[in-house]
Amino acid sequence: MKTRLTELLGIEYPVIQGAMAWVAEHNLAAAVSEAGGLGIIAGGAAPVDVIREEIHKARALTRKPIGMNIMLLSPNADDLAQLAVDEKIEALTTGAGNPGKYMDAWKAAGIKVMPVVASAALAKRMERAGADAVIAEGMESGGHIGETTTMALLPQVVDAVSIPVVGAGGAADGRGMAAMLALGAEGVQCGTVFLTADECVIHEKYKEMVLKASDISTVVTGRPSGHPVRSLKSPISRECLALEKVGDDRSLEELEAITAGALRRAVQDGDWQKGTFMAGQVAGLVNSCRPCREIVANMTADAAERLSALAARFGNGV
Ligand code: TUI
């Protein structure tokens, strides 16, 4: 499937693996790139040396392009921005902020830059700053989210810019991918479906929770603090919502204490009581563990098939 995105990145299928802190390490990223998509190593808040090592390990597993993500709220963002240049990473995605101040250095290094945006206004600014593509992420996504749904955001971002737009938030199979392509996207970014990939190294308990999830299994916490995060309902998410309702200084302090390190506890320890299991609303669609190659190829083939079936059915306007 050829789009401007596949041409831009030199990949076979227009599927980008979402950056998930603690989750998106070299095994997953290399497997997605080997599958013909673009694997992404999540910088998260990890030390620069750890991410440098992750890039080297991924490069040992694949000769295909690899990407890296910089979470702009990370205290390490400046150092990770420089690491991307030093390591000549092929592609960069950014999240949770405006990467404008790094743009010139990244472009000078020949990096393909694709900021995640949650609004058409930021998409326009990113295009003006030299972004090669933007990723329009709706609030169906897991992790830190904006306010607008993919269905509403994606076509508005497509109208706002002329660079390729990638849709994110709500695609776990060919149906979601076809819908995003129909809305004008030239590729998709998926996170949740890769949580249960064979090559994904997270704790089995995390995978089990995604496999068991239904359409109403996720919840958004952190809205009062201005950093809304979608995760699977669990003891800690219930506790967060209760503390947010109280909303006084003491409960906010308590909130900080219980959420610090909670994603790591989910990913590495599978700690049901004290972990935050970030996942998107499509978790209910993820019912099996498969290799990345199968996930990427099936999703793309099914999307193409559905789009041509729809064209055959409705293409002449009746
Ligand atoms: O960044 C993500 N997803 C993430 S980051 C993360 S780690 C974290 N944990 C707790 C609190 C906060 C972060 C877990 N998941 N996705 C990309 C994304 N970016 N979603 C939404 C945005 C976004 C939102 C507002 C991007 C830009 C923006 O506005 C910036 C501006 O200055 O206008």
Side-chain angles (χ1 to χ4, degrees):
M1 187 184 279
K2 269 202 168 65
T3 67
R4 284 190 298 169
L5 188 78
T6 58
E7 298 291 309
L8 173 75
L9 299 171
I11 57 177
E12 196 179 344
Y13 301 115
V15 177
I16 300 176
Q17 163 242 313
M20 299 168 278
W22 294 102
V23 177
E25 47 68 80
H26 65 277
N27 290 295
L28 181 62
V32 174
S33 287
E34 271 298 290
L38 181 71
I40 302 276
I41 292 169
V48 170
D49 287 346
V50 170
I51 301 305
R52 184 183 293 113
E53 192 66 18
E54 286 298 320
I55 295 169
H56 293 176
K57 286 178 177 167
R59 295 228 188 272
L61 293 173
T62 182
R63 298 169 74 92
K64 299 200 173 167
I66 282 277
M68 174 185 160
N69 172 267
I70 298 179
M71 207 278 279
L72 296 163
L73 292 171
S74 161
N76 272 350
D78 286 353
D79 296 336
L80 291 169
Q82 184 58 42
L83 177 71
V85 172
D86 296 343
E87 290 296 323
K88 301 184 174 60
I89 201 86
E90 284 89 350
L92 255 182
T93 64
T94 63
N98 179 346
K101 68 172 176 171
Y102 305 118
M103 228 43 176
D104 289 346
W106 289 339
K107 293 316 300 166
I111 300 171
K112 303 289 186 275
V113 183
M114 301 181 285
V116 170
V117 299
S119 69
L122 186 61
K124 275 187 179 171
R125 272 161 74 190
M126 293 297 95
E127 180 177 47
R128 276 201 300 274
D132 296 281
V134 288
I135 303 172
E137 187 186 283
M139 55 88 81
E140 296 91 325
S141 295
H144 176 56
I145 51 171
E147 284 183 8
T148 311
T149 61
T150 303
M151 185 82 158
L153 177 69
L154 180 50
Q156 296 188 68
V157 171
V158 167
D159 285 349
V161 297
S162 47
I163 51 178
V165 178
V166 177
D173 59 23
R175 293 170 295 181
M177 184 173 185
M180 288 189 186
L181 294 173
L183 291 172
E186 297 188 53
V188 295
Q189 177 178 278
C190 306
T192 305
V193 71
F194 289 115
L195 284 171
T196 64
D198 291 345
E199 298 90 343
C200 182
V201 298
I202 61 175
H203 198 280
E204 281 305 314
K205 178 73 188 172
Y206 201 147
K207 292 194 178 187
E208 186 192 314
M209 285 177 64
V210 175
L211 293 170
K212 281 189 180 157
S214 77
D215 53 340
I216 55 165
S217 291
T218 71
V219 66
V220 178
T221 56
R223 280 208 165 99
S225 73
H227 293 134
V229 166
R230 182 181 300 286
S231 61
L232 294 171
K233 289 174 186 167
S234 71
I236 211 177
S237 65
R238 266 187 282 279
E239 219 175 317
C240 285
L241 289 177
L243 287 166
E244 284 168 15
K245 224 172 178 178
V246 179
D248 60 10
D249 283 356
R250 215 177 121 224
S251 58
L252 290 180
E253 268 169 36
E254 213 175 311
L255 259 172
E256 263 190 52
I258 62 172
T259 52
L263 179 59
R264 193 208 61 75
R265 286 194 290 278
V267 172
Q268 295 189 337
D269 308 339
D271 186 341
W272 162 247
Q273 290 296 331
K274 298 202 169 107
T276 296
F277 296 81
M278 294 184 188
Q281 289 184 321
V282 288
L285 285 172
V286 180
N287 301 314
S288 64
C289 296
R290 293 174 292 159
C292 288
R293 184 169 295 283
E294 203 177 308
I295 295 171
V296 172
N298 284 4
M299 179 186 297
T300 315
D302 188 52
E305 214 171 283
R306 282 174 187 279
L307 289 171
S308 39
L310 286 168
R313 202 159 155 207
F314 301 112
N316 59 3
V318 267

